[in-house]
């Protein structure tokens, strides 16, 4: 461990809390992974349900960050997650330090409302002058095109990678075929497509099965209502910390990831690390690491009937054919191991 570790200021408007353990968990993973090489100082906020509390948290964070240059040393690094929301501050910091790294995650490159358009005005001129980190190859192409920057300035870092000491296969009694879903319960994550396909499966398939969903979000009441209305065999669980979540993944025979838009899709990788093949929407992010009929299955986005076909296909496979999917998933995950991707990121930060 270095005696004089460089100081890194970690900035993020998403960070987990006891109340919401999955909110910004990839930022926490990043922080944990680099603490052996950097002295990390966090400027973060957690999730707030009440608007006034959320605004106050942003105000306090912005005030603290405005005065950040007073504490900067020449060797210090400012590492910003979701830089769009801090773009006026990034312009300000650049007057004092050129050692700024911007980590984009997805929604922060879509200027689809008035606030984001305004923030984008601050952000666009400064991106070319900073190092840039993105979660996947497909997302890097969007960032390169949007900000007109060269590939050499971008590093692909899959959101902290996967801690394979936590997310790993565990011997469990899998008696009845179990379909899993882990995500925020919001429309873009595809819960409606997922439950529609499960409803079709219930009507058309005599095979015994059950479903486990893990998540919280604005649509939770709608999810509960859909399950109740259609009498679906779904066990709905609250968010879990990483160790408990790994145990839940190991209860699945297959994991469904019906997302509509994704920059990477960490939950898909977590499932694969637990030896659980993934059926995902054929969208950038998941289709970066999933190869159809090799380590998982892909279906046309937002099409419950297509998801149903892939579910039925996988359910009737024999154990030997399922094991091929499992083996290929575990082989794929080796390139996403947290220790490997951390070494590559550390080199990019320091160089």
């Amino acid at each position: 461990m270095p005696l004089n570790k460089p100081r890194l200021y970690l900035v993020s408007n998403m960070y987990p809390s006891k109340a919401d353990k999955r909110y910004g968990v990839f930022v926490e993973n990043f922080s944990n992974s680099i603490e052996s090489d950097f002295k990390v100082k966090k400027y973060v906020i957690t999730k707030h349900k009440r608007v006034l509390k959320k605004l106050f948290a942003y105000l306090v964070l912005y005030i603290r960050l405005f005065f950040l240059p007073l504490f900067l040393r020449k060797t210090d690094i400012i590492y910003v997650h979701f830089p769009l929301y801090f773009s006026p501050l990034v312009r300000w910091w650049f007057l004092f330090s050129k050692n700024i790294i911007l980590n984009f995650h997805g929604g922060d490159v879509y200027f689809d409302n008035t606030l984001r358009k305004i923030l984008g005005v601050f952000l666009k001129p400064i991106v070319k002058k900073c190092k840039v980190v993105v979660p996947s190859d497909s997302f890097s192409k969007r960032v390169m095109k949007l900000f007109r920057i060269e590939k050499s300035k971008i590093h692909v870092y899959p959101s902290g990678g996967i801690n394979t000491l936590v997310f790993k296969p565990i011997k469990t009694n899998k008696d009845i075929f179990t379909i899993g879903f882990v995500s925020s319960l919001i429309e873009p994550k595809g819960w409606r497509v997922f439950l529609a396909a499960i409803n079709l499966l219930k009507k058309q398939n005599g095979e015994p099965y059950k479903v486990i969903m893990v998540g919280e979000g604005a649509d939770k009441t709608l999810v509960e209502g859909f399950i109740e209305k259609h009498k679906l065999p779904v066990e709905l669980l609250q968010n879990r910390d990483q160790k408990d979540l790994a145990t839940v993944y190991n209860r699945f025979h297959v994991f469904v990831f019906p997302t509509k838009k994704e920059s990477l899709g960490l939950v898909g990788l977590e499932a694969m690390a637990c030896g659980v093949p993934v059926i995902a929407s054929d969208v950038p992010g998941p289709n970066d690491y999933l190869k159809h009929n090799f380590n998982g299955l892909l279906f046309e986005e937002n099409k419950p009937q297509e998801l149903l076909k892939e579910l039925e296909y996988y359910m009737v496979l024999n154990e030997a054919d399922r094991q091929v999917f499992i083996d290929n998933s575990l082989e794929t995950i080796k390139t996403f191991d947290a220790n490997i991707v951390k070494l590559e990121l550390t080199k990019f930060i320091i160089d």
Side-chain angles (χ1 to χ4, degrees):
M1 184 181 294
L3 294 176
N4 296 311
K5 295 188 287 187
R7 192 161 60 175
L8 184 145
Y9 289 94
L10 187 162
V11 179
S12 177
N13 63 341
M14 289 182 70
Y15 206 79
S17 65
K18 289 182 179 179
D20 200 324
K21 297 172 183 178
R22 293 289 298 176
Y23 185 73
V25 67
F26 43 86
V27 180
E28 183 180 43
N29 290 344
F30 161 80
S31 178
N32 292 339
S33 72
I34 65 168
E35 283 181 346
S36 60
D37 297 294
F38 299 94
K39 186 176 181 180
V40 180
K41 292 189 171 292
K42 300 172 189 173
Y43 285 72
V44 301
I45 53 177
T46 56
K47 191 173 186 178
H48 295 279
K49 293 182 179 179
R50 295 183 180 179
V51 175
L52 286 179
K53 278 194 172 184
K54 182 177 181 179
L55 290 174
F56 182 73
Y58 266 99
L59 177 61
V60 172
L61 181 61
Y62 251 72
I63 291 172
R64 292 179 64 209
L65 290 172
F66 180 82
F67 291 105
L68 179 58
L70 294 176
F71 310 103
L72 286 176
R73 300 172 187 166
K74 189 176 181 180
T75 57
D76 288 348
I77 300 156
I78 303 176
Y79 194 106
V80 191
H81 291 270
F82 302 98
L84 177 64
Y85 305 104
F86 300 100
S87 52
L89 289 166
V90 175
R91 295 284 295 272
W92 165 243
W93 297 330
F94 207 78
L95 298 175
F96 304 90
S97 173
K98 305 299 183 286
N99 204 1
I100 301 174
I101 300 172
L102 308 179
N103 193 327
F104 293 97
H105 290 280
D108 47 345
V109 297
Y110 290 89
F111 309 138
D112 50 4
N113 61 41
T114 302
L115 177 60
R116 288 184 178 185
K117 287 177 182 177
I118 293 170
L119 292 173
V121 172
F122 287 95
L123 182 65
K124 286 183 178 180
I126 205 72
V127 175
K128 289 183 179 180
K129 301 176 183 179
C130 302
K131 290 182 178 180
V132 174
V133 176
V134 295
S136 66
D137 285 322
S138 59
F139 191 66
S140 72
K141 294 172 185 175
R142 176 173 178 79
V143 171
M144 287 168 58
K145 183 178 180 180
L146 180 64
F147 298 110
R148 298 179 181 177
I149 54 178
E150 297 176 359
K151 189 174 182 179
S152 60
K153 295 204 68 175
I154 299 180
H155 178 74
V156 176
Y157 173 69
S159 300
I162 300 298
N163 184 347
T164 52
L165 296 177
V166 175
F167 294 101
K168 60 184 178 181
I170 303 170
K171 287 186 178 180
T172 55
N173 237 344
K174 295 183 178 181
D175 49 353
I176 185 171
F177 189 89
T178 303
I179 302 164
F181 174 100
V182 177
S183 190
S184 299
L185 300 180
I186 55 176
E187 193 72 34
K189 295 299 183 180
W191 68 262
R192 198 181 299 275
V193 173
F194 175 69
L195 289 180
I198 296 300
N199 191 37
L200 291 171
L201 183 64
K202 177 189 172 187
K203 293 176 180 178
Q204 299 180 22
N205 200 300
E207 295 289 329
Y209 71 95
K210 67 179 178 181
V211 180
I212 298 175
M213 296 181 73
V214 182
E216 299 283 344
D219 292 351
K220 186 175 182 180
T221 302
L222 294 175
V223 171
E224 291 171 332
F226 195 107
I227 293 169
E228 178 63 28
K229 178 181 178 181
H230 298 282
K231 309 282 189 223
L232 300 180
V234 177
E235 181 182 359
L236 184 58
L237 305 177
Q238 293 181 332
N239 283 332
R240 298 290 198 268
D241 62 27
Q242 297 213 328
K243 187 176 180 180
D244 288 341
L245 186 58
T247 302
V248 176
Y249 279 125
N250 274 276
R251 294 171 62 186
F252 304 158
H253 286 83
V254 69
F255 177 78
V256 177
F257 191 25
T259 184
K260 296 181 180 180
K261 184 172 66 176
E262 209 71 40
S263 57
L264 176 65
L266 202 59
V267 289
L269 292 169
E270 290 172 349
M272 292 169 72
C274 294
V276 181
V278 175
I279 302 176
S281 304
D282 190 2
V283 297
N287 66 18
D288 276 30
Y289 54 82
L290 281 180
K291 184 178 178 183
H292 187 68
N293 238 351
F294 175 74
N295 58 0
L297 298 165
L298 295 166
F299 70 94
E300 188 178 350
E301 175 204 346
N302 208 30
K303 300 282 186 180
Q305 283 281 5
E306 297 302 313
L307 171 54
L308 174 66
K309 288 179 185 178
E310 302 305 336
L311 274 171
E312 290 180 323
Y313 169 78
Y314 190 79
M315 288 177 75
V316 299
L317 289 178
N318 60 42
E319 288 301 317
D321 288 337
R322 286 185 191 172
Q323 190 61 47
V324 172
F325 275 96
I326 293 169
D327 292 342
N328 290 338
S329 295
L330 292 172
E331 186 65 29
T332 299
I333 216 68
K334 290 179 181 178
T335 59
F336 293 91
D337 183 278
N339 291 320
I340 294 173
V341 299
K342 173 244 181 168
L343 290 173
E344 295 169 349
L345 178 68
T346 301
K347 186 176 184 298
F348 178 76
I349 292 173
I350 294 174
D351 283 354

